[in-house]
């Protein structure tokens, strides 16, 4: 396989390319990118010439309606060796534990916590075969909803490629680095990094050993950076730290299998060539990655505990202004300096659903109990908060500046939807911690009407 590198282009004359090992990226969030492997492969001054350079085919990939406002319109032009329409008919395939149908899912308002999800015990489990749905809500057919999945795999996808016709996928590796090939280029995504692969983009995942992580799938909108409001122009996840791959292609005339997720089901189609044959592309609809260590933390410095929305990396807007279909929030290493304040997360009942995962380390409100590779779900209006050990310690701690969450990275998928766990999530996986509720039972009664 020959590694094809792009000729650098930039709108302001300053190269935006960044190299990480064998992988190269362009910097920025939602930019109008342009990338080519061969000089002059991008048509000049138009998108769809009568004959494309090098005998390529022009193909547009639309991520929004043609008539979406310009500030939200998403599309990319691909210049490829063969058009993606060249494949044999699709056939339905067994979807396993991967689903978007929550009509018959169990319903429970109780606090849920999962022990670390299992890694495969048999060989040959690739990224798609290793998808398991924990829960979700909504319907991809009506274009509004979300699902949360675990991937657990130990094998590369080889000559298989996947695309999601229903929505975008935000992938959070927890164990093992993912080597992702997409139509626009290649990405290396390690634990403590994330990537987003949008609706319709074909990709495959290679791994070098047992790998596990979390996926947030959204239908109906795309992820954007949150508004900063009075924070100002800088802070949280800065646009320049998002990386989009440069163009890369392979010209292979061997059988490949395309796995399509459509209306919550999986379908496969054979074709006689690699789908990763895009020699050049330009547009603003392309996958990207982000390193969570680059998040610029903003926190309370005088008193009280800031709401967790201050840690939002990406948000997928919902129908109601200011209310997310889904937020991706992290709780990174930081300083805690507040005076006369209970510093850990406060006790809470929320009109949103909160799904948490732990990439590595110890989560401050549940140290030693909430494990990397596990998860928790606190549903709408279900009470949650620090356990007795955390409460007692924080209530009596000396309030000096201290480091919080060093060597730890936890995150939250927060949604306005009332998420329903799947049968796999509640029963089949056999990872639900049935004793989770007990962590609050030793909270003492401290009330004394005679002592303020």
């Amino acid at each position: 396989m020959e590694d094809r590198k792009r000729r650098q282009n930039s709108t302001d004359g300053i190269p935006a390319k960044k190299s990480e090992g064998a992988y190269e990226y362009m910097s920025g969030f939602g930019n109008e990118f342009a990338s080519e492997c061969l000089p002059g492969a991008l048509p000049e001054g138009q998108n769809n010439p009568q004959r494309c350079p090098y005998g390529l085919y022009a193909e547009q990939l639309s991520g929004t309606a043609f008539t979406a406002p310009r500030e939200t319109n998403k599309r990319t032009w691909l210049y490829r060796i063969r058009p993606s329409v060249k494949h044999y008919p699709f056939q339905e395939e067994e979807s396993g534990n991967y689903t978007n149908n929550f009509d018959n899912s169990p319903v429970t308002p109780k606090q849920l916590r999962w022990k670390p999800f299992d890694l495969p015990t048999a060989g040959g489990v690739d990224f798609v075969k290793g998808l398991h749905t924990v829960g979700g809500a909504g319907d991809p057919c009506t274009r509004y909803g979300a699902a949360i999945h675990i991937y657990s795999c130990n094998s590369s996808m080889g000559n298989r490629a996947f695309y999601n016709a229903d929505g975008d996928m935000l992938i959070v590796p927890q164990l093992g680095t993912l080597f992702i090939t997409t139509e626009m280029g290649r990405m290396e995504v390690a634990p403590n990094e994330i990537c987003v692969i949008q609706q319709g983009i074909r990709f495959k995942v290679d791994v070098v050993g047992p790998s596990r992580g979390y996926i947030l799938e959204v239908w109906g909108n795309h992820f954007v950076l949150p508004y900063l409001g009075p924070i100002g122009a800088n802070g949280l996840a800065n646009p320049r730290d998002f990386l989009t791959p440069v163009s890369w292609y392979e010209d292979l005339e061997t059988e490949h299998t395309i796995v399509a997720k459509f209306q919550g089901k999986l379908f496969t189609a054979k074709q006689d060539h690699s789908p990763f044959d895009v020699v050049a592309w330009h547009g603003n609809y392309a996958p990207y990655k982000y390193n969570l260590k680059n998040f610029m933390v903003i926190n309370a410095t005088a008193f009280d505990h800031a709401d967790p929305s201050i840690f939002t990396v990406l948000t997928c807007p919902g129908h109601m202004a200011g209310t997310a279909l889904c937020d991706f929030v992290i709780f990174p290493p930081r300083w805690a300096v507040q005076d006369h304040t209970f510093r850990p997360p406060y006790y809470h009942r929320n009109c949103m659903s909160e799904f948490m995962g732990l990439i590595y380390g110890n989560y401050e409100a549940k140290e030693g109990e909430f494990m990397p590779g596990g998860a928790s779900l606190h549903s709408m209006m279900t009470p949650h908060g620090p356990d007795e050990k955390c409460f007692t310690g924080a209530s009596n701690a000396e309030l000096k500046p201290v480091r919080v969450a060093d060597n730890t990275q936890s995150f939250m998928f927060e949604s306005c939807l009332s998420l329903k766990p799947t049968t796999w999530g509640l029963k089949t996986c056999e990872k639900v911690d049935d004793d989770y509720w007990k962590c609050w039972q030793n909270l003492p009664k401290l009330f004394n009407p005679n002592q303020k």
Side-chain angles (χ1 to χ4, degrees):
M1 181 187 303
E2 185 177 355
D3 189 351
R4 307 286 188 170
K5 301 286 183 70
R6 77 183 284 275
R7 184 181 65 179
Q8 182 64 46
N9 297 306
S10 177
T11 56
D12 57 5
I14 302 174
K17 182 168 63 176
K18 179 178 179 180
S19 297
E20 292 187 352
Y23 296 78
E24 293 189 49
Y25 305 89
M26 298 171 284
S27 171
F29 188 88
N31 292 18
E32 287 284 344
F33 294 111
S35 182
E36 57 186 8
C37 296
L38 300 176
L42 285 172
E44 294 290 340
Q46 66 177 121
N47 296 321
N48 192 24
Q50 184 180 23
R51 292 186 179 86
C52 293
Y54 298 103
L56 298 172
Y57 288 86
E59 179 177 288
Q60 183 174 198
L61 177 62
S62 295
T64 57
F66 293 139
T67 52
R70 177 163 289 205
E71 62 270 20
T72 59
N73 203 298
K74 300 292 182 184
R75 54 82 186 96
T76 285
W77 280 91
L78 309 172
Y79 300 92
R80 59 193 316 147
I81 297 172
R82 303 165 191 82
S84 58
V85 71
K86 191 175 185 292
H87 62 78
Y88 294 100
F90 281 104
Q91 305 291 329
E92 187 170 354
E93 183 174 274
E94 173 60 41
S95 299
N97 296 313
Y98 186 35
T99 183
N100 291 160
N101 185 352
F102 308 107
D103 292 341
N104 299 316
S105 292
V107 176
T108 178
K110 70 179 182 180
Q111 300 96 344
L112 293 171
R113 183 167 68 192
W114 288 268
K115 300 172 185 178
F117 294 98
D118 286 338
L119 293 165
T121 55
V125 180
D126 68 17
F127 179 82
V128 176
K129 293 178 181 178
L131 290 170
H132 308 275
T133 305
V134 179
D139 183 358
C141 297
T142 57
R143 308 292 300 121
Y144 197 76
I148 296 171
H149 316 285
I150 298 296
Y151 71 83
S152 179
C153 59
N154 57 14
S155 178
S156 297
M157 289 180 63
N159 284 359
R160 281 161 50 93
F162 175 79
Y163 75 91
N164 189 335
D166 296 328
D168 294 6
M169 302 178 81
L170 188 156
I171 302 173
V172 185
Q174 185 272 320
L175 178 68
T177 297
L178 303 182
F179 301 91
I180 303 176
T181 301
T182 78
E183 292 178 274
M184 287 78 169
R186 303 183 300 167
M187 301 185 292
E188 180 180 350
V189 187
N192 210 44
E193 295 182 311
I194 63 166
C195 70
V196 172
I197 302 178
Q198 295 93 330
Q199 178 187 11
I201 295 175
R202 298 180 176 190
F203 68 97
K204 72 171 184 176
V205 177
D206 292 331
V207 297
V208 294
S211 302
R212 178 176 58 200
Y214 312 84
I215 298 175
L216 173 60
E217 179 184 352
V218 294
W219 316 311
N221 214 333
H222 301 296
F223 289 101
V224 297
L225 294 174
Y227 291 122
L228 295 182
I231 291 174
N234 306 288
L236 308 186
N238 290 310
R240 69 189 296 258
D241 293 322
F242 289 83
L243 302 177
T244 291
V246 302
S247 58
W248 179 94
Y249 77 93
E250 59 186 12
D251 184 5
L252 298 178
E253 295 182 341
T254 57
E255 184 177 86
H256 284 67
T257 300
I258 306 300
V259 184
K261 176 179 172 290
F262 178 73
Q263 295 186 8
K265 296 184 178 182
L266 296 183
F267 299 83
T268 59
K270 302 290 186 181
Q271 61 183 52
D272 59 6
H273 61 278
S274 170
F276 306 113
D277 62 353
V278 176
V279 178
W281 64 270
H282 75 84
N284 61 0
Y285 192 60
Y288 54 85
K289 60 176 273 187
Y290 175 76
N291 194 320
L292 300 181
K293 73 177 183 180
N294 293 324
F295 188 81
M296 197 275 268
V297 179
I298 292 175
N299 205 357
T301 58
F303 62 89
D304 278 354
H305 189 291
D307 291 333
S309 52
I310 204 72
F311 301 121
T312 301
V313 179
L314 292 168
T315 183
C316 182
H319 291 331
M320 186 182 302
T323 302
L325 174 61
C326 284
D327 284 330
F328 174 63
V329 181
I330 64 172
F331 303 98
R334 60 197 183 275
W335 282 98
V337 300
Q338 307 97 308
D339 292 323
H340 48 84
T341 294
F342 182 77
R343 290 177 176 176
Y346 43 72
Y347 293 99
H348 193 204
R349 289 181 295 162
N350 196 354
C351 65
M352 309 280 277
S353 299
E354 301 181 16
F355 177 93
M356 285 195 62
L358 183 60
I359 299 172
Y360 60 86
N362 291 288
Y363 179 58
E364 60 179 310
K366 304 282 192 310
E367 287 199 25
E369 301 293 333
F370 188 43
M371 304 297 291
S376 68
L377 175 63
H378 298 141
S379 297
M380 285 183 177
M381 294 304 171
T382 294
H384 54 279
D387 59 19
E388 184 274 332
K389 179 181 177 182
C390 178
F391 174 81
T392 301
S395 298
N396 297 284
E398 180 184 356
L399 292 180
K400 60 182 180 181
V402 295
R403 293 287 298 170
V404 177
D406 277 341
N407 301 311
T408 295
Q409 188 62 266
S410 56
F411 70 89
M412 178 169 66
F413 299 149
E414 185 177 49
S415 176
C416 68
L417 304 171
S418 189
L419 302 176
K420 298 176 67 176
T422 61
T423 299
W424 181 88
L426 273 184
K427 298 178 181 179
T428 310
C429 72
E430 298 182 339
K431 291 300 172 182
V432 173
D433 183 353
D434 293 327
D435 293 330
Y436 182 33
W437 62 277
K438 294 180 180 179
C439 73
W440 295 287
Q441 298 312 301
N442 291 329
L443 287 167
K445 176 182 177 181
L446 302 174
F447 175 69
N448 185 344
N450 299 313
Q451 181 178 351
K452 185 175 179 180

